[in-house]
Amino acid sequence: MTQNKTGKRTASMIRVDQAGEYGATRIYAGQLAVMGDRHPMAREIAHMAEQEERHRKFFDAMIAKRGVRPTALQPVWNVAGFALGAVTAAMGPRAAMACTAAVETEIDRHYQHQLGELGDSDPELSAAVDEFRAEELEHKEAALAAGAESAPGYPILSFAIRAGCRAAIALSKRI
């Protein structure tokens, strides 16, 4: 693969990863805005939000360091992420956890794909993606343990959120 094509591919990865981590911070912000600290899951959600914020800051720094153009869709992900978090939290704690499980399922797939594409071509990016993927899987497991699959309408809710994530990934790679 030529350097130019490799550079474009890596820039696209960084762009979409930053957008995804930003979207995750907005989902958790929406959930916490509705749940506050009243529910036992609020502490777990706040912990997940802190990890997502650390991931976002890493990708913000990569964008600056490598001169990658961020997605122009960030204002959309700001509103959409917050709304998704708020709506699922308003549906109840299990629906909020169903949201997390669905999002993290897609992020796991996305990060696995990236790791396969990267191979050993970009050790800094690969190490971060691998570390963040492990934390995303912890979020998914915590959500499942908290009853995500028993949320009302779980199959439909999960399907819709996963489809939205796949669309957001595809759009953020390019726009």
Side-chain angles (χ1 to χ4, degrees), residues 61-121:
M62 291 276 289
I63 279 177
K65 176 179 163 183
R66 296 191 184 189
V68 173
R69 176 187 55 78
T71 181
L73 296 172
Q74 191 143 327
V76 174
W77 305 150
N78 176 25
V79 173
F82 189 90
L84 177 60
V87 167
T88 56
M91 292 170 62
R94 291 179 298 168
M97 291 298 97
C99 176
T100 295
V103 169
E104 300 301 12
T105 296
E106 289 305 316
I107 298 308
D108 176 43
R109 290 180 61 211
H110 170 71
Y111 277 163
Q112 279 182 12
H113 180 76
Q114 279 189 347
L115 288 169
E117 273 193 69
L118 284 167
D120 59 2
S121 68

Side-chain angles (χ1 to χ4, degrees), residues 2 18 22 25 41 46 49 54 60 73 77 80 93 96 100 112 122 124 131-132 138 141 145 159 163 165 170 172:
T2 67
Q18 188 278 339
Y22 177 74
T25 65
M41 282 309 300
R54 185 172 48 80
D60 283 353
L73 296 172
W77 305 150
T100 295
Q112 279 182 12
D122 191 327
E124 180 185 24
E131 175 189 340
F132 298 164
E138 289 173 11
E141 291 306 316
F159 176 82
C165 288
S172 292

Side-chain angles (χ1 to χ4, degrees), residues 11-175:
S12 175
M13 288 180 186
I14 293 168
R15 177 176 24 270
V16 73
D17 291 351
Q18 188 278 339
E21 297 297 351
Y22 177 74
T25 65
R26 300 305 299 147
I27 290 169
Y28 289 128
Q31 289 178 345
L32 290 170
V34 170
M35 295 175 86
D37 58 6
R38 299 181 311 269
H39 191 274
M41 282 309 300
R43 180 182 223 158
E44 182 72 24
I45 291 169
H47 172 69
M48 293 177 192
E50 289 170 7
Q51 288 181 315
E52 301 294 359
E53 183 64 21
R54 185 172 48 80
H55 302 174
R56 183 198 55 80
K57 286 181 179 179
F58 173 84
F59 287 116
D60 283 353
M62 291 276 289
I63 279 177
K65 176 179 163 183
R66 296 191 184 189
V68 173
R69 176 187 55 78
T71 181
L73 296 172
Q74 191 143 327
V76 174
W77 305 150
N78 176 25
V79 173
F82 189 90
L84 177 60
V87 167
T88 56
M91 292 170 62
R94 291 179 298 168
M97 291 298 97
C99 176
T100 295
V103 169
E104 300 301 12
T105 296
E106 289 305 316
I107 298 308
D108 176 43
R109 290 180 61 211
H110 170 71
Y111 277 163
Q112 279 182 12
H113 180 76
Q114 279 189 347
L115 288 169
E117 273 193 69
L118 284 167
D120 59 2
S121 68
D122 191 327
E124 180 185 24
L125 183 56
S126 293
V129 168
D130 191 46
E131 175 189 340
F132 298 164
R133 178 178 169 258
E135 290 177 353
E136 307 296 2
L137 286 172
E138 289 173 11
H139 300 172
K140 177 183 172 182
E141 291 306 316
L144 292 171
E149 293 172 312
S150 62
Y154 176 77
I156 294 168
L157 184 63
S158 179
F159 176 82
I161 293 169
R162 288 182 65 186
C165 288
R166 288 190 300 272
I169 289 167
L171 291 168
S172 292
K173 283 180 182 178
R174 293 170 182 81
I175 299 173

